[in-house]
Amino acid sequence: MVLGLDVSTQSITALVMDPERGSIVDRESVSFGADLPQYQAPHGFIAGGAAGEVHADPRMWLDALDLIFARLGRSFDLSQVTMIAGSGQQHGSVYLDADFEARLASLDPAAGLAAQIAPSLTRRTSPIWMDTSTTAECREIAAAVGGDDELCRRSGSVAVERFTGPQIRRFWKGDGAGYAATRHMHLVSSFIASVLAGRSAPIDFGDAAGMNLLDLAAFEWDPRLVDATAPGLMEKMPPVMPTATVIGVISPYWVERHGCSAACRCAMFTGDNPASWIGMGAGRPGERVISLGTSDTLFAAIDEPRTDPQGFGHVFGNPAGGYLSLLCVRNGSLAREALRDRHELDWQAFDREALDRTRDAAGANLMLPFFGPEITPRGDVGGPILRGSAAFESGGRPDLEVRALLEGQFLNMRLHAQWMGPAAERILLTGGASANDGIAGIVADVFQAPVERLETGDSAALGAALLAAAAAGHDLGGLQAKCCRRDVGPRIEPDRSLAPVYDDALVRFRRLLEETRDMPGKTAGQSAAG
Ligand code: XUL
């Protein structure tokens, strides 16, 4: 049996997998808010941070880790687990002193993790991916390496507030003594792997790429980026290694306290997005995963370290080898819900009725579908902006607006994913809105690629379990084919007659976007907010 753990923003999920059968035999989760109310973090982070700060308490993650093993141990004989791998919310950082490894090596199984490890924390709380406090540090780092283009070329992303390098710099500037006392700089993923393995763990290529510190082409820390971030940082960085490398056997704490086998091995953890990519059964270039959530994301495998010339997308290491590009559009469900509410529609009207009734208007009207600030493209276009027939622009035809909104969302994605390489051959669609056949049909038509729907509850934890199985010697692709479900709805073929319609709409969409972004007061300038 293998165990996959996902330490996400709001919870930890554990899946035990039987890799011979390709089946999940046990599942547990711990919700930080509901199960650990003493941390007063109902959504997994400390509310009310000043100046864009969003932090979480690493002791909460440690308590949750003890709790999830205790829960698993009640329903499952943990001594059967031979390999553990995992994933963590990306970008979050944990700062530890020189005693960290000695503490890990001598944990008392009669006492919990949090109290024993906390004395090694040199920064009491951990900035997480929702933190936007580091705009100044982003600018400083970019300037020191010759600008955002150069930073993006080297690391796969422009300087981004939530990325770890700018967060480390802010710590160095604000608490020099705490920074000086830091000996081990960890991500959430590598921190949890360290605690399981009983020694400071390496950081994997998948998660390391979310730090603005990794040389993406060489998969090594980039000395120029590291030096531009904070003095003496290189000595504090763990080594960087391929995802799912085995780092050793589990530490005695887990054997004595939770009944794990002394022979159980631990593989390195990765970020939740790279793990989700694996858990959704994706892998090959040519496939795109589109996840429709609060924000919409598009992932694609790429085999060389190409980067987004406009700086909106990110590139991470792909646990299956090569690279993984990611585009995040903030106005996903946020925008769909805003339009639904504005016209008092329900999802039925939104999906089938409006789209069926307006088939003849495919690609005819344009909407820049931004109801609030956006990150792809970056800025506030002050939208939504409508261009098209009088009936459409007047706001009297909600059905036309629904079509234009969805077309606009996927034209925007198609436009901003062009740098990722050849057009999509197949799209794997997931997330709440993906169950709607009408929405899935628009995705197929706009991208001119067949769409398959995916079951994705627990995709990161499933990816983690699959990576544990791979670390134990199982074939990753074979297991993905067995475990990753694709039967949520019928496969949807694109209407090939619409190819020229959407090619033309894409050109007009780009032009409208450029015009709008050139208008004074409409863009947020060159902020690196990501
Ligand atoms: C990705 C990102 C989030 C976190 C939390 O860049 O910031 O998706 O990984 O899930």
Side-chain angles (χ1 to χ4, degrees), residues 6-9 88-92 128-130 160 162-163 207 210 271-274 276 295 297 299 314 316 326 328 530:
D6 174 47
V7 183
S8 77
T9 312
Q89 51 170 305
Q90 292 200 258
H91 318 299
I128 66 161
W129 65 280
M130 299 166 83
V160 177
R162 69 185 188 285
F163 276 37
D207 223 6
D272 57 355
N273 289 300
S276 283
S295 54
T297 43
F299 300 91
H314 306 300
F316 302 134
L326 178 138
C328 180

Side-chain angles (χ1 to χ4, degrees), residues 139-157:
R139 293 219 178 93
E140 289 158 7
I141 294 169
V145 298
D148 255 335
D149 288 350
E150 178 62 10
L151 185 50
C152 186
R153 193 189 62 72
R154 284 170 180 263
S155 77
S157 299

Side-chain angles (χ1 to χ4, degrees), residues 185-402:
M185 197 70 253
H186 276 293
L187 292 177
V188 177
S189 59
S190 60
F191 173 60
I192 303 294
S194 303
V195 172
L196 289 166
R199 68 181 186 87
S200 180
I203 297 183
D204 93 296
F205 296 161
D207 223 6
M211 303 177 82
N212 281 142
L213 294 173
L214 188 76
D215 173 340
L216 198 64
F219 278 145
E220 282 166 8
W221 300 127
D222 182 323
R224 183 119 182 256
L225 301 184
V226 174
D227 287 349
T229 298
L233 179 56
M234 193 62 100
E235 296 103 74
K236 306 177 197 290
M237 297 304 292
V240 57
M241 286 193 179
T243 307
T245 303
V246 176
I247 41 178
V249 291
I250 199 162
S251 87
Y253 176 87
W254 302 94
V255 179
E256 287 157 37
R257 186 176 172 102
H258 293 294
C260 293
S261 157
C264 174
R265 291 180 297 160
C266 297
M268 282 164 52
F269 280 36
T270 187
D272 57 355
N273 289 300
S276 283
W277 167 259
I278 297 297
M280 289 188 284
R284 290 179 300 110
E287 279 176 339
R288 303 262 155 102
V289 170
I290 295 179
S291 165
L292 303 176
T294 311
S295 54
D296 292 343
T297 43
L298 180 147
F299 300 91
I302 47 177
D303 35 28
E304 62 206 57
R306 207 176 299 135
T307 52
D308 182 357
Q310 290 190 286
F312 302 136
H314 306 300
V315 184
F316 302 134
N318 179 350
Y323 298 88
L324 181 61
S325 53
L326 178 138
L327 203 69
C328 180
V329 181
R330 194 175 167 281
N331 280 272
S333 289
L334 282 177
R336 291 184 285 274
E337 281 162 20
L339 187 70
R340 180 200 58 183
D341 297 345
R342 178 178 293 186
H343 292 300
E344 296 177 357
L345 304 171
D346 59 20
W347 286 124
Q348 182 77 9
F350 193 89
D351 171 23
R352 263 168 238 125
E353 291 163 30
L355 295 177
D356 279 352
R357 226 183 0 246
T358 57
R359 272 200 84 72
D360 288 351
N365 298 301
L366 287 182
M367 182 189 291
L368 297 188
F370 310 120
F371 286 70
E374 184 45 70
I375 54 182
T376 308
R378 199 168 294 128
D380 188 352
V381 298
I385 288 169
L386 276 54
R387 284 287 182 286
S389 66
F392 170 66
E393 286 194 9
S394 70
R397 286 285 305 273
D399 54 351
L400 290 177
E401 282 184 55
V402 167

Side-chain angles (χ1 to χ4, degrees), residues 460-475:
L462 178 58
L466 290 166
L467 289 168
H474 292 269
D475 172 50

